[in-house]
Amino acid sequence: MFQNLSLSPLPPSDEALRKPVRRMIADAIAHIPLDARARSWQGFDAAFSRALGQAGYLGLTLPERYGGGGRGPFARFVVVEELLAAGAPVAAHWIADRQSAPLILNYGTDAQRDFYLPRICRGKAFFCIGMSEPGSGSDLASVRTRADATDTGWLVNGQKIWTTNATHSDYMIALVRTSGTAADRHAGLSQLIIDLKAPGITIRPIVDLAGDAHFAEVFFDNVALPADALIGTEGQGWHQVNAELAFERSGPERIYSSIILVDAWIAHVAAAGRLDGDTAALAGRMTAELATLRAMSIAVTALLARGESPVVEASLVKDLGTTFEQSVPTWIGDDLAAHPEEAVVPELYRALLYLSQIAPSFSLRGGTREILRGIIARGLGLR
């Protein structure tokens, strides 16, 4: 596995995207406070996402006939890296651009591709993911939400939970059981595209410990869907959802969740005139770990560019990357506490408090640490 993670340069043609998208982002975040930018994944700004679509920064890897950029994974890496490094609000288009569009491209019908993909590329169709359920945790094979076949399509009943941005989304791609029972595990699961405005759907926001409400519960009470709501092959939902999760785990987003705090801390120590060895050691540690993780993430992107499916390698980067993201608030909090004589701007304190509260969730989203280490162990032949 490790020999696959070789150093890879970003192609100059893709690096060329960096300056123009950086300028666009700088204008968009100019008036967003630091603690709001620390919420980049949760920052929902439909107008900004539509502007990105109009500029050609969404759907970069999709074919041009669907309105995409017709480019490769390296182009998307550059744009996503710039968005996250700046703490830009990406929540509106995030799921659709990263997961839903590739899923529809790979498994959808021609009609589904023609309808959804151009809208995603323009930032005019926002998606959420319906996977987790009460009592299932990360064990997706035990989902109980059911879709029964009818004369006209499907009838859905059940509940999803921890659904990110369901309250703002237009559609959900849900993993449901279309045959058998939860005891059948991976068999009998399918994926449906659900219009969240359909009758019988109730969405309730969940307020987290930071006071935000980007999660939601979604209830389905006899929700009638057309036959073409099915995406891919009935009963192959488990295979499809694992391919979808590979898209989620293979990008650079697993290393940048605390980067806003790093930038603010460096500005703070520079303003304080600190030149001691401990400060240099902490700055060096964070820089070295981030640089290594970035190189690994680019190596995973190179595997995607070669048409490979780096499930194990992406899991390794996510596990190590989220460990780094979770460590940064503690490191910086301890450093500031060790220098009580220094005045700290309120924005830095608010960003530190938010990230300290929310950091434990970094290793939950997109697959828990335990799930990922199981995948890595299988990849190493240890299970």
Side-chain angles (χ1 to χ4, degrees), residues 37 99 122 128-129 150 171 185 229 240 245 307 309 324:
R37 288 197 284 127
Q99 290 169 246
R122 296 196 301 271
C128 61
I129 301 169
T150 66
Y171 303 98
R185 304 292 292 165
Q240 294 174 197
L245 285 170
S309 181
F324 170 74

Side-chain angles (χ1 to χ4, degrees), residues 52-291:
L52 287 172
Q54 289 174 353
Y57 294 129
L58 300 185
L60 277 166
T61 61
L62 297 180
E64 291 177 300
R65 67 179 181 276
Y66 297 120
R71 306 182 68 139
F74 285 121
R76 185 173 184 278
F77 182 99
V78 170
V79 171
V80 169
E81 183 174 49
E82 288 297 319
L83 288 166
L84 297 180
V90 300
H93 67 269
W94 196 240
I95 300 298
D97 183 63
R98 182 180 65 182
Q99 290 169 246
S100 307
L103 183 79
I104 293 170
L105 179 67
N106 289 336
Y107 297 104
T109 64
D110 288 341
Q112 288 170 334
R113 296 185 188 113
D114 289 339
F115 181 80
Y116 293 110
L117 296 184
R119 288 167 171 77
I120 290 174
C121 292
R122 296 196 301 271
K124 294 189 174 180
F126 302 137
F127 281 68
C128 61
I129 301 169
M131 293 188 185
S132 297
E133 295 187 4
S136 292
S138 294
D139 181 17
L140 296 180
S142 67
V143 300
R144 297 175 184 276
T145 295
R146 190 166 190 90
D148 294 309
T150 66
D151 292 339
T152 58
W154 304 94
L155 194 66
V156 183
N157 284 285
Q159 178 187 355
K160 295 293 179 182
I161 197 169
W162 309 123
T163 306
T164 304
N165 283 320
T167 50
H168 302 298
S169 295
D170 302 301
Y171 303 98
M172 170 191 285
I173 295 183
L175 182 69
V176 300
R177 187 162 294 284
T178 51
S179 65
T181 69
D184 294 310
R185 304 292 292 165
H186 302 163
L189 295 172
S190 303
Q191 287 185 292
L192 299 177
I193 302 178
I194 299 176
D195 185 338
L196 292 175
K197 296 180 180 62
I201 295 177
T202 302
I203 301 174
R204 295 178 183 168
I206 299 172
V207 179
D208 64 23
L209 82 172
D212 298 328
H214 56 277
F215 286 129
E217 297 177 277
V218 184
F219 299 86
F220 304 98
D221 182 10
N222 289 319
V223 177
L225 300 177
D228 62 5
L230 177 71
I231 181 167
T233 304
E234 183 185 353
Q236 292 300 306
W238 181 254
H239 169 75
Q240 294 174 197
V241 85
N242 273 284
E244 183 183 355
L245 285 170
F247 296 134
E248 181 176 357
R249 295 168 184 159
S250 57
E253 49 265 54
R254 301 304 178 181
I255 59 179
Y256 286 111
S257 296
S258 299
I259 197 66
I260 292 300
L261 188 59
V262 176
D263 287 342
W265 176 78
I266 290 173
H268 167 80
V269 297
R274 264 204 259 157
L275 298 171
D276 60 283
D278 289 344
T279 300
L282 178 55
R285 179 179 186 177
M286 292 191 290
T287 302
E289 290 200 24
L290 180 60

